Amino acid sequence: STFDDWLTSDLIISWAMNIVPLRIPDAHFALEAKYNGGRFVAIDVTYSPTATKADMWVPVKMGTDSHLASSIVNILINEKLYKEYYIKEYTDLPFLVRKDTKKFLTGKDFKPDAKEFIYYIWDKKTNKAVEAPGTMDSTNKTVKLDGIDPAIEGTFNVKLPDGKDVEVTTVFENIKKEIAPF
């Protein structure tokens, strides 16, 4: 989101980004979020000016932050510390990925002349793959779900027009699998 949306955040993590002296017009949004009950965490190798304003400073050794990021994501997923409604409507985590090609299920899977950037999600209400609203080539230009209940977990079978069944899963499932070792 934009910097002004930081004001409404529950948690802001500044990761190797020294916003206090370098993003002066935007830094106050992060600092003011604390007044609304939000927490502000600085992850950095140095005790930077931003770290001095944070609720918590997490010092990391250079080169270890990718492991830390994967570990954090693993904990967030395993302990379900995420907002499912947000993931469903505002991220690509419900998008379907073909298990055979490891590529997104797109409009081209259904019609060769379809536009390139039409993606699909699994609607739990209708129990079928439906076009994800708001993707670049979608005719529906809003991400509003309008009654669709996207699955973020699971494996599903999609029947293509050529009669072939394709097994698909979600981006969220793939991320869970990738971060499991951490």
Side-chain angles (χ1 to χ4, degrees), residues 1-2 5 8-10 81-94 143 145 150 152 172:
S1 64
T2 58
D5 193 39
T8 64
S9 298
D10 298 328
L81 299 173
Y82 51 83
K83 294 181 178 177
E84 191 170 328
Y85 78 89
Y86 187 90
I87 286 174
K88 287 180 175 189
E89 194 157 355
Y90 299 109
T91 74
D92 63 357
L93 296 177
V143 295
L145 293 171
I152 60 171
F172 188 76

Side-chain angles (χ1 to χ4, degrees), residues 13 15 43 67-77 179 182:
I13 299 174
W15 200 310
I43 300 173
H67 190 97
L68 176 62
S70 297
S71 300
I72 290 170
V73 170
N74 192 0
I75 290 168
L76 291 173
I77 289 173
I179 56 93
F182 299 94

Side-chain angles (χ1 to χ4, degrees), residues 145-180:
L145 293 171
D146 286 331
I148 300 170
D149 185 13
I152 60 171
E153 297 179 275
T155 300
F156 314 98
N157 284 312
V158 174
K159 189 168 218 54
L160 299 180
D162 63 4
K164 182 179 177 186
D165 277 337
V166 175
E167 194 173 28
V168 295
T169 190
T170 64
V171 171
F172 188 76
E173 283 287 356
N174 285 332
I175 288 176
K176 281 177 24 181
K177 184 177 163 186
E178 287 293 319
I179 56 93

